[in-house]
Amino acid sequence: MNKEILKSTFLFILLLLAQVLICNHIAIFNVAVPIIFIYFIIRLPIDVGKGLLFTLAFLMGFCVDMFSDTPGVNSLASTLLAALKRPVYYAYVQRDDKTMTLLPSISTLGVATYCKYLLSMVGIYCLLAFTIEYFNFADVKDIVILSASSCLLTFIMLLAIDCLIINKS
Amino acid sequence: MRNLINFLIKYGTWFIFMFYVLISCVLLFSHNLYQQSVYLTSANIVASSVNSTSSQVTGYFHLRGINESLQESNAMLENEVLNLRHQLAECQTLLSDTLKSNIFLNRFDYIPATVINNSVRHPRNYFSINRGSADGVKVGMGVVDQNGVVGMVNVAGLHTARVISLLNQTQRFSVKLKGTNYIGSLSWKGADPSIAYMEEVPRHAKFHAGDTVVTSGYSTTFPGDIPVGIVMNRIKGSDDNFFILKVRLNSDFRALSTVRVIKDEYKAELDSLQQYDIKSDK
């Protein structure tokens, strides 16, 4: 258990630093922004207590907000994403499947299901974050373009991170 | 009572959820609270030390471009010095000057600073610099780089400060067309970090594409005639009495590195005069 906590803490700090120091400065064609810190929320085991899940998600969002001067945008979006995590997960996975471990990954869910889960989560987050940040119906076109392109880029980057972790272990 | 406790236990996690959502919304919508607090911005100790460390590494990346623009501005300044020296020599032959120094030359002072964190992709962009109130930086001071205006100090920590970038939809800057008295207000509309719009230009103003847009000098934030950008073309506005000019900004906001904070020695005096006006109006 301690090892898991240590690993999670390490992942938290690593993703936070990677987001604020590298990914925040990337904007391909000035629209596609990789949002990799949500990997932490996506990869937390499904059976983690809801209270802890919300707290961690909020903390992550809050830290990113602090660094990138977007007060409340990422904290709100990641707290909402944490709340939607279980419904999204069980939309693709049978709830009574007891043989399945509760850690969402390619090896436990299979490529197709995992990709669907990952894409849904990333898509939801991008849409939430950009809607909250712009908060103006006049910018709907911008929000859709930003969300779609960022979603695609983030999805690819998160799959790449998954591959890296699998190769390591 | 038991029912209440059961209810709290059953839905406890959702109360936590609502609590976090509430905090986020407070952060999101109460701009005043946020602007007054250094701790919540990238000017706080943790964020600024992480950003300084990373900027020590990444600071080298844009050096080539910065070097080029510095050399350009250096050449321009050298030309100007030569020109002024020439004019001075001409004037001195005409009459001897009894005034020892010009007080206007000492009005503005510059504090050099380095950008340690920057963003251009949000609707409201900010950047942080490595000088704070201990170095004389105060809220409301203007910030320029070698190419022109880049922003205005918004939160001043002890050793770091957060600057509202010119690329911030909530901020407007008072500008004019160089060599004329046509004033307008410069605002950024998002998307492209090199394009801004000069609004409220009177309809009778004469301009040509390629004209320089400079600061108006009507505030204590910037001295007059600091370059901001170049007029590209005219855009039809909603108001027939004014038109909007599309302006290409001089500064490359993606590669901000060394900037100067402008300190106006007359600021306190001018501000107190304005206060006096407001009080006497009441």
Side-chain angles (χ1 to χ4, degrees), chain A residues 24 30 55 66-67 69 71 133, chain B residues 20 34 42 44 117 122-123 191:
Chain A
N24 267 356
N30 217 27
T55 309
M66 196 180 72
F67 276 95
D69 281 318
E133 185 165 10
Chain B
Y20 289 140
Y34 173 66
S42 60
N44 75 20
N117 181 34
H122 299 290

Side-chain angles (χ1 to χ4, degrees), chain A residues 17 21 24-25 30 33 50-51 54-55 58 62 66-67 69-73 75-76 79-80 83 132-135, chain B residues 13-14 17 20-21 23-24 27-28 34 40-42 44 47 50 54 117-118 121-124 126 162 191 193:
Chain A
L17 287 180
L21 294 181
N24 267 356
H25 300 281
N30 217 27
V33 183
K50 271 184 190 162
F54 295 153
T55 309
F58 174 78
F62 184 78
M66 196 180 72
F67 276 95
D69 281 318
T70 49
V73 174
S75 355
L76 184 57
T79 312
L80 291 175
I132 294 167
E133 185 165 10
Y134 282 78
F135 210 72
Chain B
T13 50
W14 292 106
F17 172 72
Y20 289 140
V21 169
I23 295 181
S24 306
L27 285 172
L28 198 61
Y34 173 66
L40 294 178
T41 68
S42 60
N44 75 20
V50 171
S54 99
N117 181 34
N118 184 18
R121 66 178 177 84
H122 299 290
R124 291 173 289 276
Y126 299 90
R162 190 182 67 152

Side-chain angles (χ1 to χ4, degrees), chain B residues 203-218:
Chain B
R203 208 166 64 144
H204 59 270
K206 289 188 177 59
F207 73 94
H208 301 283
D211 278 358
T212 310
V213 177
V214 295
T215 52
S216 68
Y218 284 175

Side-chain angles (χ1 to χ4, degrees), chain B residues 9 46 73 79 108 110 159 162-163 170 220 230 248 255 257:
Chain B
I9 292 172
V46 182
S73 100
N79 275 335
F108 294 100
Y110 293 95
H159 297 292
R162 190 182 67 152
V163 182
T170 57
T220 54
I230 286 163
R248 176 171 292 283
S257 163

Side-chain angles (χ1 to χ4, degrees), chain B residues 13-271:
Chain B
T13 50
W14 292 106
F15 281 115
I16 297 176
F17 172 72
M18 289 311 293
F19 176 66
Y20 289 140
V21 169
L22 207 70
I23 295 181
S24 306
C25 288
V26 168
L27 285 172
L28 198 61
F29 296 113
S30 61
H31 294 288
N32 289 325
L33 171 108
Y34 173 66
Q35 278 178 357
Q36 280 157 15
S37 169
V38 175
Y39 302 104
L40 294 178
T41 68
S42 60
N44 75 20
I45 294 172
V46 182
S48 60
S49 60
V50 171
N51 285 329
S52 316
T53 315
S54 99
S55 79
Q56 277 172 5
V57 180
T58 54
Y60 294 100
F61 295 167
H62 303 296
L63 277 189
R64 180 187 282 271
I66 291 162
N67 207 3
E68 273 168 18
S69 64
L70 271 179
Q71 282 192 350
E72 262 173 38
S73 100
N74 199 18
M76 206 185 72
L77 288 174
E78 265 177 18
N79 275 335
E80 207 170 315
V81 167
L82 282 175
N83 199 356
L84 287 175
R85 207 173 270 165
H86 182 68
Q87 280 183 13
L88 189 69
E90 251 177 24
C91 290
Q92 273 173 346
T93 56
L94 295 175
L95 70 155
S96 58
D97 193 358
T98 50
L99 198 62
K100 284 285 179 269
S101 68
N102 187 344
I103 47 165
F104 287 102
L105 285 179
N106 300 328
R107 178 174 165 186
F108 294 100
D109 198 11
Y110 293 95
I111 305 165
T114 308
V115 175
I116 54 174
N117 181 34
N118 184 18
S119 79
V120 295
R121 66 178 177 84
H122 299 290
R124 291 173 289 276
N125 292 299
Y126 299 90
F127 60 88
S128 320
I129 54 174
N130 67 347
R131 294 275 180 269
S133 52
D135 308 286
V137 173
K138 289 198 186 85
V139 173
M141 285 182 172
V143 182
V144 296
D145 76 344
Q146 71 273 14
N147 298 316
V149 172
V150 292
M152 190 175 95
V153 176
N154 164 240
V155 178
L158 195 59
H159 297 292
T160 46
R162 190 182 67 152
V163 182
I164 289 194
S165 171
L166 206 150
L167 308 183
N168 190 313
Q169 293 181 0
T170 57
Q171 187 65 34
R172 285 165 171 272
F173 292 86
S174 171
V175 292
K176 66 174 184 181
L177 291 170
K178 191 176 183 180
T180 68
N181 284 322
Y182 299 124
I183 308 288
S185 82
L186 189 83
S187 70
W188 184 66
K189 302 265 187 251
D192 191 338
S194 61
I195 305 290
Y197 296 88
M198 179 176 172
E199 296 177 332
E200 295 154 32
V201 186
R203 208 166 64 144
H204 59 270
K206 289 188 177 59
F207 73 94
H208 301 283
D211 278 358
T212 310
V213 177
V214 295
T215 52
S216 68
Y218 284 175
S219 68
T220 54
T221 311
F222 295 105
D225 288 333
I226 293 186
V228 176
I230 286 163
V231 174
M232 291 171 75
N233 54 320
R234 181 181 144 177
I235 288 172
K236 213 175 158 116
S238 52
D239 190 340
D240 278 345
N241 293 320
F242 297 101
F243 55 66
I244 301 173
L245 298 179
K246 197 174 175 184
V247 177
R248 176 171 292 283
L249 297 171
N250 279 349
S251 303
D252 182 3
F253 284 86
R254 292 191 192 92
L256 285 184
S257 163
T258 319
V259 294
R260 286 166 295 155
V261 182
I262 301 173
K263 195 170 157 186
D264 186 353
E265 302 293 344
Y266 291 0
K267 186 178 170 57
E269 199 177 323
L270 283 167
D271 285 351

Side-chain angles (χ1 to χ4, degrees), chain A residues 139-159:
Chain A
D139 296 322
V140 168
K141 205 182 93 189
D142 284 347
I143 294 173
V144 171
I145 293 171
L146 281 165
S147 304
S149 53
S150 301
C151 172
L152 196 68
L153 182 63
T154 309
F155 176 67
I156 293 167
M157 284 189 76
L158 293 191
L159 273 185

